[in-house]
Amino acid sequence: MTAKLIEGAPIAAAIKERVRGQVAGLPVPPRLVSILASGDAGARFYARSQRKACDEVGIGFDLRELGPEASADELRQAVQALNADESVSSIFLLVPVADGVDARQIQLCIAPDKDVEGMHPANIGRLFYGDFSLAPCTPRAAITMLQEAGVALEGKETVVVGHSEIVGKPTVVMLLKSLMHAPTVTCCHIATRDLASHTSRADVLIVAAGKAGLITGDMVKDGCVVIDVGINAVTVRQGGKKKRRTVGDVDFDSVSAKAALITPVPGGVGAVTSALLLQNVAECARRQQAAR
Ligand code: NAD
């Protein structure tokens, strides 16, 4: 079998189109503020792509630069000022931050209704009750891609590889949303013994481990559906030259020879995740404006 691709671009485009309509219908346009507190080139690049994506759908964007030495207190104060500012719909903390500052503790200071990443305990708690209105973007992207590809999950053996707070765990909770129509979910992680014994049973396999090539063709079953969340920069040799490439956690060539459906990297989950961040900005703005 050679897998059909579940491409991110058309799904992301449809989400952006919907968000553009939601934004146009709001009394006040939403505004996302990202906080940069490092000299990290990747974080700055990500901020630029956030600005571009916001522009596309009519969301305002500001970058609040605090400098690479910003302390935990300075970051907390910046977040509290943005929490209190009615013109700010959503707050995003770009990582990394200075050594010794716990980014998670700063993120916890973001008001739940401005928590664009959906990681505040109040929003994570909502997931447990099946309310995905402000869900973490990457798990939601993985599930949206399954839905868009028409994959019925009911009763399916579904294996999630990775149990991080931002991807693996919320994915498990979101998969279990429906009381009657949920898949059977197994969550594998770094301490899982014999990973292949789990992945080879999966009708649906979602991989978010951050390990290039972790899942190979001999670890999956024929006709499975594979969502590759991983983003890894690797160096490959091409025509005698070294080249940097972005790959997923799944060895695409060997797994796509057996799977029925697979997401590519790049061009898969990442594109949908970015579009869902915009959807969360619109949702934050809707909540705040409804509460005024
Ligand atoms: P993380 O490092 O926080 O967590 C990795 C998880 O993988 C852990 O739960 C760990 O137990 C598990 N793991 C690691 N090695 C394993 C192994 N050998 N066998 C089984 N499990 C193993 O990473 P994260 O933030 O959850 O991100 C995971 C990957 O997803 C990364 O590549 C990251 O870049 C990518 N990511 C992509 C998007 C996107 O939009 N596509 C968004 C967020 C993260």
Side-chain angles (χ1 to χ4, degrees):
M1 180 170 296
T2 301
K4 228 178 112 191
L5 288 183
I6 312 176
E7 306 248 28
I11 301 172
I15 294 167
K16 285 185 187 172
E17 194 54 45
R18 195 171 62 228
V19 173
R20 206 173 284 120
Q22 288 166 349
V23 166
L26 286 166
V28 183
R31 185 156 78 99
L32 169 66
V33 177
S34 287
I35 301 174
L36 180 66
S38 74
D40 185 70
R44 194 171 283 280
F45 176 81
Y46 187 43
R48 273 201 299 275
S49 62
Q50 285 182 329
R51 181 186 297 280
K52 184 167 167 284
C54 285
D55 281 351
E56 280 177 45
V57 297
I59 292 174
F61 178 84
D62 281 316
L63 185 62
R64 185 66 48 92
E65 297 201 38
L66 296 185
E69 306 296 326
S71 66
D73 275 348
E74 285 168 313
L75 277 159
R76 257 192 297 271
Q77 280 164 20
V79 168
Q80 276 154 7
L82 295 169
N83 282 343
D85 183 343
E86 280 204 357
S87 74
V88 176
S89 323
S90 305
I91 305 165
F92 188 102
L93 178 66
L94 291 154
V95 290
V97 291
D99 284 349
V101 177
D102 183 348
R104 190 78 205 102
Q105 290 306 314
I106 308 302
Q107 283 163 335
L108 285 174
C109 301
I110 296 173
D113 283 355
K114 297 194 177 189
D115 166 37
V116 70
E117 291 196 87
M119 288 305 296
H120 190 282
N123 291 320
I124 288 290
R126 286 188 175 112
L127 290 190
F128 274 77
Y129 297 101
D131 174 356
F132 297 173
S133 55
L134 210 47
C137 302
T138 306
R140 191 178 201 172
I143 288 167
T144 300
M145 294 183 91
L146 290 170
Q147 285 166 343
E148 291 295 321
V151 178
L153 289 169
E154 182 175 350
K156 295 263 171 72
E157 288 295 336
T158 300
V159 174
V160 178
V161 181
H163 71 334
S164 69
E165 272 80 38
I166 187 87
V167 189
K169 283 186 202 168
T171 301
V172 168
V173 173
M174 292 173 81
L175 285 167
L176 294 172
K177 173 184 179 179
S178 164
L179 291 179
M180 293 301 294
H181 304 292
T184 300
V185 184
T186 302
C187 185
C188 299
H189 44 74
I190 191 76
T192 297
R193 293 184 197 138
D194 193 1
L195 182 62
S197 69
H198 299 280
T199 57
S200 60
R201 284 189 300 104
D203 300 309
V204 176
L205 178 61
I206 301 175
V207 191
K211 297 271 156 68
L214 177 67
I215 306 296
T216 48
D218 55 338
M219 296 168 73
V220 301
K221 84 172 180 191
D222 282 325
C224 63
V225 176
V226 180
I227 305 290
D228 189 355
V229 178
I231 300 177
N232 309 288
V234 294
T235 305
V236 290
R237 283 208 161 270
Q238 246 176 16
K241 285 190 180 158
K242 283 185 182 174
K243 285 199 167 166
R244 296 291 280 168
R245 268 185 59 195
T246 302
V247 298
D249 291 345
V250 172
D251 176 52
F252 187 83
D253 290 345
S254 62
V255 173
S256 63
K258 286 177 86 177
L261 290 167
I262 189 167
T263 59
V265 179
V269 177
V272 180
T273 298
S274 304
L276 288 170
L277 189 84
L278 302 172
Q279 183 171 302
N280 276 1
V281 178
E283 171 60 17
C284 288
R286 189 200 61 74
R287 285 187 188 188
Q288 290 151 38
Q289 293 176 27
R292 276 177 205 149

